[in-house]
Amino acid sequence: MSLSCKRYIFALLLLAASTLVGCESEVAGGSNGVPEIVISTTKFNVGGKGGGYVMDYQIKNGVKGVLPEVECLSDWVDIEEVTTMQICFNVQANDKMEERTTRIKVSYEGAKDSHVVFITQREMVLDIFTIDTPELTPDKFTVRWTPKSDDIVYIPNIISTDYFIMSGVDSAEGLITEEFNYFLSVAQNAGLTLEETLTRTQKIVSGTTSITYSGLMPGSKYLAYCYGVALNGNDYEITAPLHYMVVNIPMQELSNAQFDITTTQLDSANVRINIEPKTWNGYYAVQVVPASSMYYTEPGTSLGTSTIKAMHTTFFNQAKNSLMTNNDIEQYLTISCYKGHKSLSMSLAPEEYMVAVFGVSSNDGGIPMMRTTPVVAYFSL
């Protein structure tokens, strides 16, 4: 074999060896740079029922056969499998009445930085009970609770949303605890067990239950709720989480009625207010609002919704408190309200005032309510 031929074969062998070395280095990946983690997303939004999810990823300049380290900072997310391209994880169903967030941390040996993916899960899915309001008016409303199974024993109830502001209770667990503290107190005072008390008072029910409520403030909000319970003497166990819906009691529709209002200053501390109904034949209420009140409305300015609601709230609460001791609605209206032309004398401190007049009535024996938009006039002492 000639020398030139040997040299040609030797060159080919060197080229082949060089190619083989290059391929081995690229597969291993350790000599082409610092490893880098690339993930397709930085956040997962998960429903309350949870479920399985897949996260795609890539390791640039990685080492063949070496997988990333994946860990979650919460026990409600399980890392199930890590492959060369995907991370599979499972989110457990949320058993809380509030949204929750955690993080999955992805690390790789030799990488400069780890990668964090946020998992945000909505509150628990409430599907054991259905709550609706087949009747909802300013005077009364009906709440209907329907469990998935008639075998579920549960407690239905409503409560004003103002309760949470005044009590500081801010969770379903807190509401149930406070409610059972009350039930236990009633049971002890009656010399009965908790189970006996709730059974006799029919606080525990099963199957579809409807309850009609009346005498509640129009324009206010109530929480209609229920939860499953098992009772044994004074012990109880919550068998189904608290389900709820917010009931917005509508404001009554107000008609327009005309009242002629005139005032006469008798002296520095006394005024006479003359009222002549023009288009209203029933009872009406009179409220005098000083300029120092937050509900005083400047002359020439229309009454705001909050002012009208405040006037109605004042009247409604006065009527409700009075009727708690005296159930005669007509008697209350006769004593506290007016009919026809009236001339009212009042002694007041020197100040500017707004006098408001509005028609009132009771429907089906319910608490009397504001029925007409207030008409106002102004005077000063």
Side-chain angles (χ1 to χ4, degrees):
M1 182 180 293
S2 67
L3 181 59
S4 60
C5 183
K6 290 181 179 179
R7 288 177 177 174
Y8 177 74
I9 294 174
F10 182 72
L12 288 177
L13 291 173
L14 285 176
L15 178 61
S18 174
T19 303
L20 289 173
V21 171
C23 289
E24 177 65 27
S25 176
E26 187 172 323
V27 171
S31 62
N32 289 331
V34 177
E36 179 185 354
I37 305 169
V38 180
I39 295 183
S40 59
T41 184
T42 58
K43 183 177 182 180
F44 280 83
N45 292 311
V46 179
K49 289 186 176 181
Y53 292 83
V54 175
M55 182 193 315
D56 296 326
Y57 80 94
Q58 179 184 1
I59 303 296
K60 292 184 177 180
N61 300 321
V63 178
K64 184 179 180 180
V66 177
L67 297 176
E69 294 183 4
V70 183
E71 61 176 333
C72 182
L73 305 182
S74 299
D75 59 5
W76 48 272
V77 175
D78 302 308
I79 308 301
E80 296 192 329
E81 184 180 11
V82 179
T83 69
T84 55
M85 298 180 64
Q86 293 181 325
I87 298 169
C88 303
F89 61 95
N90 183 72
V91 180
Q92 300 173 16
N94 195 345
D95 59 354
K96 303 294 182 182
M97 295 286 291
E98 56 191 23
E99 185 178 88
R100 59 185 180 181
T101 298
T102 190
R103 295 176 293 169
I104 291 178
K105 182 180 179 182
V106 182
S107 305
Y108 194 84
E109 184 178 356
K112 183 178 180 181
D113 299 308
S114 58
H115 198 100
V116 173
V117 177
F118 290 90
I119 310 295
T120 299
Q121 185 179 30
R122 292 183 58 81
E123 65 275 8
M124 70 188 307
V125 175
L126 302 176
D127 57 2
I128 300 175
F129 299 93
T130 299
I131 308 174
D132 67 325
T133 51
E135 179 185 30
L136 181 59
T137 71
D139 296 279
K140 62 181 179 179
F141 67 91
T142 300
V143 180
R144 179 170 55 202
W145 293 267
T146 306
K148 272 189 171 181
S149 169
D150 289 344
D151 295 331
I152 299 176
V153 176
Y154 64 97
I155 294 178
N157 205 355
I158 68 168
I159 193 168
S160 171
T161 55
D162 291 339
Y163 164 80
F164 298 97
I165 299 174
M166 295 183 293
S167 68
V169 172
D170 60 359
S171 67
E173 294 81 2
L175 175 60
I176 293 174
T177 298
E178 288 298 310
E179 189 159 71
F180 269 95
N181 287 340
Y182 169 75
F183 291 153
L184 284 167
S185 175
V186 172
Q188 291 173 358
N189 290 336
L192 301 172
T193 66
L194 177 65
E195 184 177 7
E196 291 170 334
T197 300
L198 296 183
T199 301
R200 293 186 185 185
T201 57
Q202 298 182 331
K203 291 291 186 182
I204 51 175
V205 298
S206 60
T208 298
T209 301
S210 295
I211 303 176
T212 298
Y213 302 90
S214 60
L216 302 178
M217 176 72 68
S220 60
K221 293 183 180 181
Y222 277 78
L223 196 74
Y225 63 93
C226 65
Y227 51 90
V229 64
L231 299 169
N232 182 17
N234 281 327
D235 297 326
Y236 68 91
E237 178 185 357
I238 304 305
T239 58
L242 186 141
H243 291 51
Y244 69 93
M245 73 170 293
V246 177
V247 180
N248 293 291
I249 303 177
M251 282 288 291
Q252 66 278 23
E253 293 186 8
L254 302 179
S255 62
N256 292 320
Q258 183 180 353
F259 295 88
D260 285 348
I261 307 171
T262 59
T263 60
T264 303
Q265 182 175 348
L266 302 178
D267 54 43
S268 60
N270 292 277
V271 64
R272 178 180 293 120
I273 303 173
N274 297 294
I275 303 168
E276 183 68 48
K278 293 296 185 181
T279 58
W280 181 258
N281 296 322
Y283 288 101
Y284 59 89
V286 179
Q287 292 183 4
V288 177
V289 182
S292 56
S293 168
M294 64 181 296
Y295 297 111
Y296 179 87
T297 301
E298 294 293 339
T301 304
S302 299
L303 295 180
T305 302
S306 60
T307 298
I308 294 175
K309 185 176 180 180
M311 291 179 178
H312 176 257
T313 299
T314 299
F315 174 79
F316 184 90
N317 286 336
Q318 289 173 347
K320 184 176 183 177
N321 292 336
S322 177
L323 293 174
M324 288 178 65
T325 56
N326 183 356
N327 294 324
D328 191 330
I329 295 174
E330 184 66 24
Q331 183 180 1
Y332 170 77
L333 291 171
T334 301
I335 295 173
S336 303
C337 302
Y338 309 95
K339 251 186 179 181
H341 171 78
K342 287 295 176 183
S343 181
L344 309 175
S345 296
M346 297 183 180
S347 297
L348 301 168
E351 193 174 355
E352 294 182 347
Y353 291 91
M354 175 179 73
V355 55
V357 179
F358 50 88
V360 298
S361 67
S362 169
N363 283 349
D364 300 325
I367 297 174
M369 296 185 186
M370 176 190 288
R371 301 296 179 182
T372 71
T373 303
V375 177
V376 300
Y378 296 85
F379 64 91
S380 60
L381 293 175

